Amino acid sequence: VTTDEPSGKRVGIMARVMEAHDELAARNRERFRAAGVVAIDVMGSPGAGKTALLEATLARLEGRLRCGVLVGDIATTNDADRLARSGVPVVQINTEFFGGSCHLEAGVVARFLGEMPLDELDLLFIENVGNLVCPAEFDIGQAARVVVLSVTEGEDKPLKYPLAFRGASQVVLSKVDLVPHLDVDLGAVRTYVDRVHPGLGMCTVSARTGEGLGAWMDWVEDQAAARGPLR
Amino acid sequence: VTTDEPSGKRVGIMARVMEAHDELAARNRERFRAAGVVAIDVMGSPGAGKTALLEATLARLEGRLRCGVLVGDIATTNDADRLARSGVPVVQINTEFFGGSCHLEAGVVARFLGEMPLDELDLLFIENVGNLVCPAEFDIGQAARVVVLSVTEGEDKPLKYPLAFRGASQVVLSKVDLVPHLDVDLGAVRTYVDRVHPGLGMCTVSARTGEGLGAWMDWVEDQAAARGPLR
């Protein structure tokens, strides 16, 4: 979301665009607060396991918390179709209709919130476009941001994509069932996370086997419990 | 690289920025042609296996073709350090010094070409920033573009990130040694690649075990052989 040919004019225009964007994010945040909904943004690389994590999460929250999902992709409704099987309200945002955008923006999220019964929800998951870079640059009004990083991606991703980890409320290290088949050093992941965001919470999970999901569900329920007084 | 608040003025400015960008890409292309170098852009998600593929490739090309690598990351010189062990000239571009850019741009590539002995090379690999979205939007003057997609990312990525596959000259489906431990359907990957780019060439490889690297090396050598007459 930047170009290499800076000019005073463009920088000035971009600064004003980002200011307008942050105002839209603040409006989303106020809307979530008024509805008593905790919005959790879930970001990560393509194929990091964001949708599988949400499938497992929704199954475990059934009957405990009222959830909804906004899901962003450049194209296809594959993820919304998968998540809708859980029975919760799911809305797919295809950014190809907004310039093929590589991330969700506050204004786009706002447009689709009208399709979501916010007043009837405790938690709104927002699955961002698969991208470990650009979504980190845009506040969409979330209460918390989760970075999903799969063990197959290698240890050094926190160092190489620092903004995502600096702005995160929690890391979910996913696909841990594959560790025996990889050369990955989980201790090094922890070290590198700490280097860019000391003490950042991290769950190590496998959505496929269920391993580690207990700690993740505790974190999710803590987020819901921390919301303001009920309406 | 877009925002959700279009205005005639911004669109006009972006169009001019992209025009200037394409001119810089054309200049890079002419520079490669004049030097008799085939430039191959390698893009893919974070952790798709781009660097591991290049390590295996450089080892196999030693003594056969003269290679160099430009490697783009937001931060760290990890990849350049790994690739430099092959003994070829390697230059790391950290985009954090260019606004933390989520992709390489033609002008940034041009600045770093001065550090690369182009006249002494047959092949220049350009490892793009790990991102399956934004690099696809920017021509950097490459002769060919390779998309590296790991089998752990799931079958539907060609449909969800169509621009990357539409603009690709070749797909490398990586980490195929992990297939026995996954639920991935390789036939479905082929079907989805064909849906967005019918007939696009695809190699299925494991840089770790060497499986499938023969077909990949044939493709690379074909690219080198197709370059213009030698100086």
mmCIF file of all heavy atoms in Angstrom, chain B residues 198-225:
data_model
loop_
_atom_site.group_PDB
_atom_site.id
_atom_site.type_symbol
_atom_site.label_atom_id
_atom_site.label_comp_id
_atom_site.label_asym_id
_atom_site.label_seq_id
_atom_site.Cartn_x
_atom_site.Cartn_y
_atom_site.Cartn_z
ATOM 1 N N PRO B 198 -5.924 -21.349 -17.878
ATOM 2 C CA PRO B 198 -5.948 -22.671 -18.519
ATOM 3 C C PRO B 198 -4.577 -23.071 -19.066
ATOM 4 O O PRO B 198 -3.926 -22.289 -19.760
ATOM 5 C CB PRO B 198 -6.969 -22.492 -19.652
ATOM 6 C CG PRO B 198 -7.852 -21.371 -19.193
ATOM 7 C CD PRO B 198 -6.955 -20.451 -18.422
ATOM 8 N N GLY B 199 -4.139 -24.273 -18.702
ATOM 9 C CA GLY B 199 -2.905 -24.819 -19.246
ATOM 10 C C GLY B 199 -1.627 -24.305 -18.629
ATOM 11 O O GLY B 199 -0.530 -24.673 -19.066
ATOM 12 N N LEU B 200 -1.723 -23.463 -17.618
ATOM 13 C CA LEU B 200 -0.509 -22.918 -16.974
ATOM 14 C C LEU B 200 0.384 -24.066 -16.493
ATOM 15 O O LEU B 200 -0.083 -25.014 -15.864
ATOM 16 C CB LEU B 200 -0.921 -22.038 -15.782
ATOM 17 C CG LEU B 200 0.212 -21.431 -14.945
ATOM 18 C CD1 LEU B 200 1.098 -20.530 -15.778
ATOM 19 C CD2 LEU B 200 -0.360 -20.642 -13.761
ATOM 20 N N GLY B 201 1.666 -23.978 -16.798
ATOM 21 C CA GLY B 201 2.615 -25.013 -16.397
ATOM 22 C C GLY B 201 2.729 -25.115 -14.881
ATOM 23 O O GLY B 201 2.684 -24.099 -14.194
ATOM 24 N N MET B 202 2.847 -26.333 -14.380
ATOM 25 C CA MET B 202 2.941 -26.517 -12.929
ATOM 26 C C MET B 202 3.917 -27.640 -12.615
ATOM 27 O O MET B 202 3.813 -28.725 -13.172
ATOM 28 C CB MET B 202 1.566 -26.833 -12.367
ATOM 29 C CG MET B 202 1.531 -26.972 -10.864
ATOM 30 S SD MET B 202 -0.160 -26.849 -10.179
ATOM 31 C CE MET B 202 -0.575 -28.581 -10.072
ATOM 32 N N CYS B 203 4.875 -27.371 -11.744
ATOM 33 C CA CYS B 203 5.781 -28.403 -11.234
ATOM 34 C C CYS B 203 5.364 -28.707 -9.802
ATOM 35 O O CYS B 203 5.007 -27.796 -9.054
ATOM 36 C CB CYS B 203 7.221 -27.913 -11.168
ATOM 37 S SG CYS B 203 7.866 -27.220 -12.672
ATOM 38 N N THR B 204 5.483 -29.955 -9.418
ATOM 39 C CA THR B 204 5.154 -30.367 -8.057
ATOM 40 C C THR B 204 6.461 -30.822 -7.427
ATOM 41 O O THR B 204 7.049 -31.813 -7.873
ATOM 42 C CB THR B 204 4.116 -31.507 -8.108
ATOM 43 O OG1 THR B 204 2.978 -31.018 -8.841
ATOM 44 C CG2 THR B 204 3.674 -31.919 -6.731
ATOM 45 N N VAL B 205 6.938 -30.087 -6.437
ATOM 46 C CA VAL B 205 8.306 -30.308 -5.948
ATOM 47 C C VAL B 205 8.396 -30.363 -4.422
ATOM 48 O O VAL B 205 7.520 -29.886 -3.709
ATOM 49 C CB VAL B 205 9.267 -29.187 -6.427
ATOM 50 C CG1 VAL B 205 9.111 -28.898 -7.914
ATOM 51 C CG2 VAL B 205 9.072 -27.909 -5.633
ATOM 52 N N SER B 206 9.478 -30.964 -3.963
ATOM 53 C CA SER B 206 9.892 -30.821 -2.574
ATOM 54 C C SER B 206 11.350 -30.410 -2.577
ATOM 55 O O SER B 206 12.216 -31.186 -2.994
ATOM 56 C CB SER B 206 9.728 -32.146 -1.816
ATOM 57 O OG SER B 206 10.441 -32.070 -0.591
ATOM 58 N N ALA B 207 11.615 -29.205 -2.110
ATOM 59 C CA ALA B 207 13.009 -28.752 -2.051
ATOM 60 C C ALA B 207 13.772 -29.576 -1.018
ATOM 61 O O ALA B 207 14.982 -29.742 -1.120
ATOM 62 C CB ALA B 207 13.064 -27.258 -1.693
ATOM 63 N N ARG B 208 13.055 -30.121 -0.041
ATOM 64 C CA ARG B 208 13.707 -30.885 1.018
ATOM 65 C C ARG B 208 14.174 -32.246 0.542
ATOM 66 O O ARG B 208 15.301 -32.644 0.816
ATOM 67 C CB ARG B 208 12.746 -31.044 2.205
ATOM 68 C CG ARG B 208 13.399 -31.671 3.408
ATOM 69 C CD ARG B 208 12.706 -31.302 4.701
ATOM 70 N NE ARG B 208 11.372 -31.865 4.800
ATOM 71 C CZ ARG B 208 10.749 -32.089 5.963
ATOM 72 N NH1 ARG B 208 11.331 -31.766 7.095
ATOM 73 N NH2 ARG B 208 9.550 -32.588 5.977
ATOM 74 N N THR B 209 13.317 -32.964 -0.196
ATOM 75 C CA THR B 209 13.684 -34.315 -0.642
ATOM 76 C C THR B 209 14.236 -34.322 -2.062
ATOM 77 O O THR B 209 14.796 -35.322 -2.501
ATOM 78 C CB THR B 209 12.448 -35.243 -0.628
ATOM 79 O OG1 THR B 209 11.524 -34.795 -1.638
ATOM 80 C CG2 THR B 209 11.771 -35.245 0.729
ATOM 81 N N GLY B 210 14.030 -33.226 -2.811
ATOM 82 C CA GLY B 210 14.475 -33.186 -4.201
ATOM 83 C C GLY B 210 13.431 -33.685 -5.181
ATOM 84 O O GLY B 210 13.600 -33.546 -6.401
ATOM 85 N N GLU B 211 12.349 -34.239 -4.661
ATOM 86 C CA GLU B 211 11.274 -34.763 -5.528
ATOM 87 C C GLU B 211 10.779 -33.683 -6.495
ATOM 88 O O GLU B 211 10.476 -32.562 -6.078
ATOM 89 C CB GLU B 211 10.115 -35.250 -4.632
ATOM 90 C CG GLU B 211 8.968 -35.869 -5.421
ATOM 91 C CD GLU B 211 7.809 -36.318 -4.510
ATOM 92 O OE1 GLU B 211 8.001 -36.410 -3.273
ATOM 93 O OE2 GLU B 211 6.710 -36.559 -5.045
ATOM 94 N N GLY B 212 10.698 -34.041 -7.769
ATOM 95 C CA GLY B 212 10.109 -33.134 -8.753
ATOM 96 C C GLY B 212 11.005 -31.998 -9.214
ATOM 97 O O GLY B 212 10.626 -31.224 -10.090
ATOM 98 N N LEU B 213 12.213 -31.890 -8.658
ATOM 99 C CA LEU B 213 13.058 -30.745 -9.025
ATOM 100 C C LEU B 213 13.577 -30.850 -10.458
ATOM 101 O O LEU B 213 13.913 -29.829 -11.068
ATOM 102 C CB LEU B 213 14.224 -30.584 -8.038
ATOM 103 C CG LEU B 213 13.838 -29.979 -6.683
ATOM 104 C CD1 LEU B 213 15.050 -29.936 -5.752
ATOM 105 C CD2 LEU B 213 13.265 -28.557 -6.850
ATOM 106 N N GLY B 214 13.613 -32.064 -11.016
ATOM 107 C CA GLY B 214 14.082 -32.235 -12.396
ATOM 108 C C GLY B 214 13.250 -31.419 -13.383
ATOM 109 O O GLY B 214 13.798 -30.677 -14.208
ATOM 110 N N ALA B 215 11.938 -31.536 -13.276
ATOM 111 C CA ALA B 215 11.045 -30.809 -14.195
ATOM 112 C C ALA B 215 11.183 -29.299 -13.985
ATOM 113 O O ALA B 215 11.166 -28.512 -14.940
ATOM 114 C CB ALA B 215 9.598 -31.243 -13.977
ATOM 115 N N TRP B 216 11.338 -28.895 -12.730
ATOM 116 C CA TRP B 216 11.527 -27.472 -12.425
ATOM 117 C C TRP B 216 12.827 -26.955 -13.039
ATOM 118 O O TRP B 216 12.866 -25.895 -13.681
ATOM 119 C CB TRP B 216 11.509 -27.257 -10.910
ATOM 120 C CG TRP B 216 12.131 -25.978 -10.430
ATOM 121 C CD1 TRP B 216 13.257 -25.856 -9.678
ATOM 122 C CD2 TRP B 216 11.663 -24.636 -10.674
ATOM 123 N NE1 TRP B 216 13.530 -24.530 -9.425
ATOM 124 C CE2 TRP B 216 12.569 -23.752 -10.023
ATOM 125 C CE3 TRP B 216 10.581 -24.092 -11.375
ATOM 126 C CZ2 TRP B 216 12.421 -22.363 -10.058
ATOM 127 C CZ3 TRP B 216 10.437 -22.700 -11.416
ATOM 128 C CH2 TRP B 216 11.346 -21.863 -10.760
ATOM 129 N N MET B 217 13.904 -27.733 -12.902
ATOM 130 C CA MET B 217 15.188 -27.295 -13.453
ATOM 131 C C MET B 217 15.116 -27.220 -14.978
ATOM 132 O O MET B 217 15.706 -26.319 -15.586
ATOM 133 C CB MET B 217 16.321 -28.224 -13.010
ATOM 134 C CG MET B 217 16.611 -28.233 -11.503
ATOM 135 S SD MET B 217 16.816 -26.600 -10.742
ATOM 136 C CE MET B 217 18.159 -25.943 -11.704
ATOM 137 N N ASP B 218 14.389 -28.156 -15.604
ATOM 138 C CA ASP B 218 14.204 -28.087 -17.059
ATOM 139 C C ASP B 218 13.536 -26.773 -17.451
ATOM 140 O O ASP B 218 13.930 -26.116 -18.418
ATOM 141 C CB ASP B 218 13.336 -29.255 -17.542
ATOM 142 C CG ASP B 218 14.090 -30.585 -17.491
ATOM 143 O OD1 ASP B 218 15.335 -30.564 -17.337
ATOM 144 O OD2 ASP B 218 13.437 -31.644 -17.585
ATOM 145 N N TRP B 219 12.506 -26.407 -16.688
ATOM 146 C CA TRP B 219 11.795 -25.162 -16.981
ATOM 147 C C TRP B 219 12.748 -23.968 -16.847
ATOM 148 O O TRP B 219 12.786 -23.087 -17.710
ATOM 149 C CB TRP B 219 10.574 -25.000 -16.058
ATOM 150 C CG TRP B 219 9.789 -23.765 -16.378
ATOM 151 C CD1 TRP B 219 8.807 -23.645 -17.320
ATOM 152 C CD2 TRP B 219 9.949 -22.450 -15.798
ATOM 153 N NE1 TRP B 219 8.334 -22.355 -17.354
ATOM 154 C CE2 TRP B 219 9.020 -21.594 -16.435
ATOM 155 C CE3 TRP B 219 10.781 -21.921 -14.807
ATOM 156 C CZ2 TRP B 219 8.902 -20.240 -16.115
ATOM 157 C CZ3 TRP B 219 10.666 -20.564 -14.491
ATOM 158 C CH2 TRP B 219 9.734 -19.747 -15.141
ATOM 159 N N VAL B 220 13.527 -23.950 -15.778
ATOM 160 C CA VAL B 220 14.459 -22.832 -15.547
ATOM 161 C C VAL B 220 15.475 -22.752 -16.694
ATOM 162 O O VAL B 220 15.735 -21.672 -17.240
ATOM 163 C CB VAL B 220 15.196 -22.997 -14.196
ATOM 164 C CG1 VAL B 220 16.339 -21.988 -14.067
ATOM 165 C CG2 VAL B 220 14.222 -22.844 -13.032
ATOM 166 N N GLU B 221 16.014 -23.891 -17.075
ATOM 167 C CA GLU B 221 17.032 -23.866 -18.141
ATOM 168 C C GLU B 221 16.414 -23.454 -19.483
ATOM 169 O O GLU B 221 17.064 -22.783 -20.281
ATOM 170 C CB GLU B 221 17.759 -25.216 -18.212
ATOM 171 C CG GLU B 221 18.483 -25.494 -16.879
ATOM 172 C CD GLU B 221 19.687 -26.432 -17.001
ATOM 173 O OE1 GLU B 221 20.216 -26.616 -18.119
ATOM 174 O OE2 GLU B 221 20.101 -26.978 -15.958
ATOM 175 N N ASP B 222 15.143 -23.844 -19.703
ATOM 176 C CA ASP B 222 14.439 -23.386 -20.908
ATOM 177 C C ASP B 222 14.317 -21.863 -20.935
ATOM 178 O O ASP B 222 14.422 -21.237 -21.993
ATOM 179 C CB ASP B 222 13.026 -23.983 -20.977
ATOM 180 C CG ASP B 222 13.045 -25.446 -21.409
ATOM 181 O OD1 ASP B 222 14.111 -25.936 -21.828
ATOM 182 O OD2 ASP B 222 11.983 -26.101 -21.311
ATOM 183 N N GLN B 223 14.067 -21.269 -19.770
ATOM 184 C CA GLN B 223 13.962 -19.807 -19.708
ATOM 185 C C GLN B 223 15.292 -19.168 -20.094
ATOM 186 O O GLN B 223 15.328 -18.203 -20.858
ATOM 187 C CB GLN B 223 13.586 -19.330 -18.293
ATOM 188 C CG GLN B 223 12.308 -19.919 -17.738
ATOM 189 C CD GLN B 223 11.150 -19.790 -18.696
ATOM 190 O OE1 GLN B 223 10.801 -18.703 -19.114
ATOM 191 N NE2 GLN B 223 10.557 -20.908 -19.080
ATOM 192 N N ALA B 224 16.375 -19.741 -19.559
ATOM 193 C CA ALA B 224 17.696 -19.185 -19.855
ATOM 194 C C ALA B 224 18.026 -19.340 -21.343
ATOM 195 O O ALA B 224 18.574 -18.433 -21.973
ATOM 196 C CB ALA B 224 18.758 -19.873 -18.995
ATOM 197 N N ALA B 225 17.652 -20.490 -21.915
ATOM 198 C CA ALA B 225 17.956 -20.769 -23.330
ATOM 199 C C ALA B 225 17.159 -19.850 -24.243
ATOM 200 O O ALA B 225 17.592 -19.559 -25.372
ATOM 201 C CB ALA B 225 17.629 -22.234 -23.647
#
